[in-house]
Amino acid sequence: MHVQFPPKPTLPRACLDTRITLGPTGIYLYEPETKPTSQNSDETLYCEAEASVAVEKEKPAQESSETDLEIEDTEKFFTTRQNELYLEACRLMSVVPVSYFLRNMEESYMNLNHHGLGPNGTKAIAIALVSNTSVVTLELADNGLMEEGILSLLEMLQENYYLQELNVSDNDLGFKGAKIISEFLQRNTSSLWNLQLSGNNFRDESAELLCQALAANYQIKTLDLSHNQFSDKGGEYMGQMLALNVGLQSLDLSWNHFYIRGAVALCNGLRANGTLQKLDLSMNGFGNEGATALGEVLRLNSSLVYLDISINDISNEGISKISKGLEFNESLKVLKLFLNPMSMDGAVLLILSIKRNPKSKMEEIDISNVLVSEQFLKILDGVCAIHPQLDVVYKAVQGLSAKKTVLLWANPMKLIQSYADQHKITVLDFFKSLSPDGKMTMPVGNFRKAIILQDKVPLNLYQVRELVKKLSDKPDTVNFSLLKTVKP
């Protein structure tokens, strides 16, 4: 069978043999007009030593295709010249090369968090990445980038269309950094879709610039603005942006300073938004007034799948407003309400709202600071009879007898193993029978529904939750191949 390989991606404008000039506004790369003069400096020897290592690192395997051999030779040469480019940039910027960066320039994931790069070290990295086609995710948190460093990175992204995820959190970029980032976002020209900007001391004036740019940006899908200094005015800017943005799918605004006015403004924007799927608003100050606005959002919104409003000073009064919204919501799957001042009465309102909504897709409600009673468990069993995919995470059950505690905590894997032994099947066969297509993985919600509805091994909600923990290697998926590591 003839296999046709896809064409080799076209390299960015910057040539591998380019000379480096560092101008006042950024990086300049140009072709040498004459043959490079021979150098006898220590730096040149160092480059040659590094180049030889890079060439010998991976010897080409014997291939029947001449084209494949040519591609491998080209890639080795490409990597060697990139190493030399980075070393030359480090020499010109008077910074020490990062050995981890040199070793991993061919990898898709590059973690340079906490390396103390500073603006000059970051500029050297940016120069080397202009023509890099391997790195897809770049982590640069806590490196003291300053505005010069972030400017170098964003200028590099105008040429590099392979880099897709960038983390520049905890770099104290402030207003000047926000201005540079905003100008970049307005262009909509890079391949970047995941941008992490947590902990950069952005205030409301920074929020204004960022939101103006994001209102028209359709490239960024995931944005982290947590641990900044946005207040109610920033919440108003965020609301205006969300009403217009058509690209964002995940937004983290946790650990800011949104209170009633900011919360209401933000929710007004959410009511008009049809693309955002995941929203983290934990560690703010929404209160019951903000919860009322959120309840109206949940009544109308059909895109949100995940909502975290933990630690927002929401009591039973606010929970009742959220519950009314949940009676009509057909999209939300995860609702986190951890450490809000609510009681079991509020918890009952929540689960009854799910019961009243036959179209609810809710899979997880986190109220893990709330003590519940046996009566609550009976109500929850009735709700799960209608929505078997639902899991409610609570703190504990008050007044539960010792006998019932033993039954509640019985090891589910032992029960399943016992059933498998009696029917001469394997535990894996039991679990695969839960999957409609017999696959080794299932979405968590579908797994909960299937394990609750099956009558071979009756399990309670706690036992199902334990199974999910044991079989989950990803947040939303259970993987039956993990059974090898699970002992009854």
Side-chain angles (χ1 to χ4, degrees), residues 5 61-74:
F5 290 92
Q62 293 296 325
E63 299 281 354
S64 59
S65 169
E66 183 178 349
T67 303
D68 292 342
L69 288 173
E70 290 174 356
I71 289 174
E72 289 189 6
D73 289 342
T74 302

mmCIF file of all heavy atoms in Angstrom, residues 5 61-74:
data_model
loop_
_atom_site.group_PDB
_atom_site.id
_atom_site.type_symbol
_atom_site.label_atom_id
_atom_site.label_comp_id
_atom_site.label_asym_id
_atom_site.label_seq_id
_atom_site.Cartn_x
_atom_site.Cartn_y
_atom_site.Cartn_z
ATOM 1 N N PHE A 5 2.815 10.985 2.172
ATOM 2 C CA PHE A 5 3.106 11.838 3.309
ATOM 3 C C PHE A 5 2.633 13.269 3.019
ATOM 4 O O PHE A 5 2.688 13.731 1.874
ATOM 5 C CB PHE A 5 4.608 11.866 3.605
ATOM 6 C CG PHE A 5 5.100 10.560 4.153
ATOM 7 C CD1 PHE A 5 5.600 9.577 3.311
ATOM 8 C CD2 PHE A 5 5.049 10.297 5.508
ATOM 9 C CE1 PHE A 5 6.049 8.367 3.816
ATOM 10 C CE2 PHE A 5 5.501 9.097 6.021
ATOM 11 C CZ PHE A 5 5.999 8.126 5.165
ATOM 12 N N ALA A 61 17.105 6.428 10.791
ATOM 13 C CA ALA A 61 16.913 4.999 10.570
ATOM 14 C C ALA A 61 16.915 4.720 9.083
ATOM 15 O O ALA A 61 16.668 5.584 8.250
ATOM 16 C CB ALA A 61 15.577 4.570 11.186
ATOM 17 N N GLN A 62 17.201 3.475 8.709
ATOM 18 C CA GLN A 62 17.189 3.077 7.318
ATOM 19 C C GLN A 62 15.770 3.108 6.790
ATOM 20 O O GLN A 62 14.874 2.503 7.348
ATOM 21 C CB GLN A 62 17.767 1.662 7.185
ATOM 22 C CG GLN A 62 19.255 1.585 7.515
ATOM 23 C CD GLN A 62 20.107 2.384 6.535
ATOM 24 O OE1 GLN A 62 19.768 2.436 5.362
ATOM 25 N NE2 GLN A 62 21.177 2.992 7.018
ATOM 26 N N GLU A 63 15.543 3.859 5.729
ATOM 27 C CA GLU A 63 14.221 3.972 5.139
ATOM 28 C C GLU A 63 14.297 3.608 3.669
ATOM 29 O O GLU A 63 15.323 3.806 3.010
ATOM 30 C CB GLU A 63 13.676 5.399 5.276
ATOM 31 C CG GLU A 63 13.515 5.865 6.704
ATOM 32 C CD GLU A 63 12.256 5.311 7.316
ATOM 33 O OE1 GLU A 63 11.476 4.675 6.593
ATOM 34 O OE2 GLU A 63 12.076 5.494 8.536
ATOM 35 N N SER A 64 13.209 3.082 3.150
ATOM 36 C CA SER A 64 13.168 2.736 1.743
ATOM 37 C C SER A 64 12.940 3.957 0.876
ATOM 38 O O SER A 64 13.204 3.950 -0.305
ATOM 39 C CB SER A 64 12.046 1.728 1.494
ATOM 40 O OG SER A 64 10.812 2.280 1.887
ATOM 41 N N SER A 65 12.404 5.024 1.464
ATOM 42 C CA SER A 65 12.073 6.209 0.692
ATOM 43 C C SER A 65 13.202 7.223 0.762
ATOM 44 O O SER A 65 13.631 7.621 1.832
ATOM 45 C CB SER A 65 10.785 6.841 1.225
ATOM 46 O OG SER A 65 10.607 8.107 0.659
ATOM 47 N N GLU A 66 13.680 7.658 -0.390
ATOM 48 C CA GLU A 66 14.726 8.665 -0.428
ATOM 49 C C GLU A 66 14.214 9.988 0.125
ATOM 50 O O GLU A 66 14.924 10.719 0.772
ATOM 51 C CB GLU A 66 15.197 8.837 -1.871
ATOM 52 C CG GLU A 66 16.370 9.826 -2.017
ATOM 53 C CD GLU A 66 16.827 9.933 -3.465
ATOM 54 O OE1 GLU A 66 16.387 9.107 -4.278
ATOM 55 O OE2 GLU A 66 17.607 10.843 -3.766
ATOM 56 N N THR A 67 12.919 10.246 -0.110
ATOM 57 C CA THR A 67 12.326 11.483 0.389
ATOM 58 C C THR A 67 12.363 11.548 1.914
ATOM 59 O O THR A 67 12.677 12.570 2.495
ATOM 60 C CB THR A 67 10.859 11.594 -0.081
ATOM 61 O OG1 THR A 67 10.830 11.518 -1.497
ATOM 62 C CG2 THR A 67 10.241 12.900 0.389
ATOM 63 N N ASP A 68 12.065 10.412 2.582
ATOM 64 C CA ASP A 68 12.091 10.380 4.032
ATOM 65 C C ASP A 68 13.482 10.697 4.560
ATOM 66 O O ASP A 68 13.646 11.396 5.555
ATOM 67 C CB ASP A 68 11.657 9.002 4.551
ATOM 68 C CG ASP A 68 10.184 8.760 4.264
ATOM 69 O OD1 ASP A 68 9.485 9.753 4.002
ATOM 70 O OD2 ASP A 68 9.758 7.596 4.319
ATOM 71 N N LEU A 69 14.512 10.163 3.901
ATOM 72 C CA LEU A 69 15.879 10.421 4.330
ATOM 73 C C LEU A 69 16.209 11.897 4.191
ATOM 74 O O LEU A 69 16.847 12.492 5.057
ATOM 75 C CB LEU A 69 16.858 9.585 3.501
ATOM 76 C CG LEU A 69 16.870 8.083 3.797
ATOM 77 C CD1 LEU A 69 17.756 7.365 2.793
ATOM 78 C CD2 LEU A 69 17.365 7.810 5.202
ATOM 79 N N GLU A 70 15.752 12.483 3.108
ATOM 80 C CA GLU A 70 16.023 13.899 2.907
ATOM 81 C C GLU A 70 15.339 14.747 3.972
ATOM 82 O O GLU A 70 15.901 15.709 4.481
ATOM 83 C CB GLU A 70 15.532 14.325 1.518
ATOM 84 C CG GLU A 70 16.373 13.745 0.387
ATOM 85 C CD GLU A 70 15.778 14.049 -0.979
ATOM 86 O OE1 GLU A 70 14.688 14.644 -1.000
ATOM 87 O OE2 GLU A 70 16.404 13.707 -1.988
ATOM 88 N N ILE A 71 14.121 14.367 4.350
ATOM 89 C CA ILE A 71 13.389 15.102 5.385
ATOM 90 C C ILE A 71 14.130 15.014 6.714
ATOM 91 O O ILE A 71 14.303 16.005 7.418
ATOM 92 C CB ILE A 71 11.955 14.550 5.517
ATOM 93 C CG1 ILE A 71 11.139 14.939 4.286
ATOM 94 C CG2 ILE A 71 11.275 15.091 6.774
ATOM 95 C CD1 ILE A 71 9.763 14.319 4.265
ATOM 96 N N GLU A 72 14.607 13.804 7.080
ATOM 97 C CA GLU A 72 15.306 13.645 8.350
ATOM 98 C C GLU A 72 16.589 14.470 8.360
ATOM 99 O O GLU A 72 16.922 15.116 9.354
ATOM 100 C CB GLU A 72 15.606 12.173 8.598
ATOM 101 C CG GLU A 72 14.360 11.356 8.928
ATOM 102 C CD GLU A 72 14.700 9.955 9.372
ATOM 103 O OE1 GLU A 72 15.894 9.661 9.532
ATOM 104 O OE2 GLU A 72 13.765 9.172 9.592
ATOM 105 N N ASP A 73 17.333 14.456 7.256
ATOM 106 C CA ASP A 73 18.567 15.232 7.196
ATOM 107 C C ASP A 73 18.263 16.718 7.334
ATOM 108 O O ASP A 73 18.965 17.451 8.031
ATOM 109 C CB ASP A 73 19.290 14.968 5.866
ATOM 110 C CG ASP A 73 19.878 13.565 5.817
ATOM 111 O OD1 ASP A 73 20.029 12.968 6.897
ATOM 112 O OD2 ASP A 73 20.161 13.072 4.708
ATOM 113 N N THR A 74 17.199 17.164 6.682
ATOM 114 C CA THR A 74 16.827 18.564 6.756
ATOM 115 C C THR A 74 16.448 18.950 8.177
ATOM 116 O O THR A 74 16.827 20.007 8.675
ATOM 117 C CB THR A 74 15.629 18.849 5.819
ATOM 118 O OG1 THR A 74 15.992 18.482 4.494
ATOM 119 C CG2 THR A 74 15.247 20.319 5.867
#
